[in-house]
Structure formats: C-alpha cells, structure tokens
Amino acid sequence: MGKVEGKGKEWHGHVTALTVSPSCRRLGLGRSLMDFLELNSDKVHNCFFVDLFVRPSNLVAVNMYKKFGYVVYRRILEYYWSSDDNPAEDGLDMRKSLSRDPKKLSMIPLKNPVPASQA
C-alpha cells in the first residue's frame, strides 16, 4: 500500500505497508509491488523520491530495501512504540531517488537522528 504526498522538493511516493505472506516470499512479489509504486510515483505523479520507514531490527527488510536501491536517509528517534510483540524502537527513513532528482539530492543522509516529533 502506498501514496504520494509532500510539497515542493518533498513531493514523494511513500510505502505505507509492504507485506507478503510467508508462503509466497522469495518469489519476487515484494520487488514487483515496489516496482509498481516506484514507476507510478515517477512517471504518473512526477515525484522526487520514494520513502519508507522500517525498524532497524528488521534486518531482512532493511537489506531487501538496500538491494532495491534505498539508502538510510535518517534515523528517527523513538518512532515505533512498544507493543506486546515488539519493544519501542527508533525508525529508519529509507529513500530512493527518482528521475526528477538526477543528482540524488533527496538521498543524501542526514548526519544526526531526529526526534519523532520532527519527522
């Protein structure tokens, strides 16, 4: 599930959620869904980049997104609240530039983490 949002140079596609059933993983479905969102964000909505948020502890997802060309743009402090299954945790804002950002300026990582209230 995704959307487009933002203003000016922050106009971007956003991955709200990406889930593939365990029995259907490693078939390229996640890649296909990401390709679809990236293509539409780029060619239909003329976005600068696509972003998503992921738990740093979800190494499978972090590595998958890196393989797809995403970089960690910034760490967001205390982004995820605790639940019965997961402890509270920072979030990683990962980004991938699109054709409207040929110099990939939207992917230059921030040096310092930001509070969730400023994300």
Side-chain angles (χ1 to χ4, degrees):
M1 182 171 22
K3 61 183 177 178
V4 293
E5 63 184 356
K7 294 179 184 173
K9 294 195 183 228
E10 292 296 315
W11 180 244
H12 66 282
H14 176 73
V15 178
T16 306
L18 176 65
T19 302
V20 176
S21 173
S23 64
C24 296
R25 291 183 183 156
R26 309 210 49 88
L27 299 174
L29 297 173
R31 172 78 264 180
S32 294
L33 292 167
M34 293 297 292
D35 285 346
F36 182 79
L37 178 68
E38 291 168 13
L39 180 68
N40 279 279
S41 296
D42 191 23
K43 304 300 181 197
V44 176
H45 297 287
N46 200 28
C47 295
F48 287 92
F49 61 92
V50 172
D51 80 345
L52 56 92
F53 298 90
V54 64
R55 287 179 180 267
S57 62
N58 188 347
L59 293 177
V60 171
V62 170
N63 289 329
M64 178 185 74
Y65 293 125
K66 285 181 177 180
K67 184 173 130 184
F68 294 168
Y70 287 77
V71 299
V72 175
Y73 172 69
R74 62 185 175 166
R75 178 178 285 269
I76 302 171
L77 301 172
E78 301 175 357
Y79 183 78
Y80 291 102
W81 293 8
S82 64
S83 68
D84 292 341
D85 299 331
N86 296 301
E89 191 171 356
D90 294 347
L92 299 180
D93 178 356
M94 298 186 75
R95 291 187 176 188
K96 180 178 182 179
S97 294
L98 300 174
S99 62
R100 192 169 178 193
D101 181 15
K103 294 183 179 179
K104 301 187 181 308
L105 299 176
S106 60
M107 290 175 63
I108 298 171
L110 298 183
K111 293 180 187 207
N112 297 312
V114 298
S117 61
Q118 295 177 10

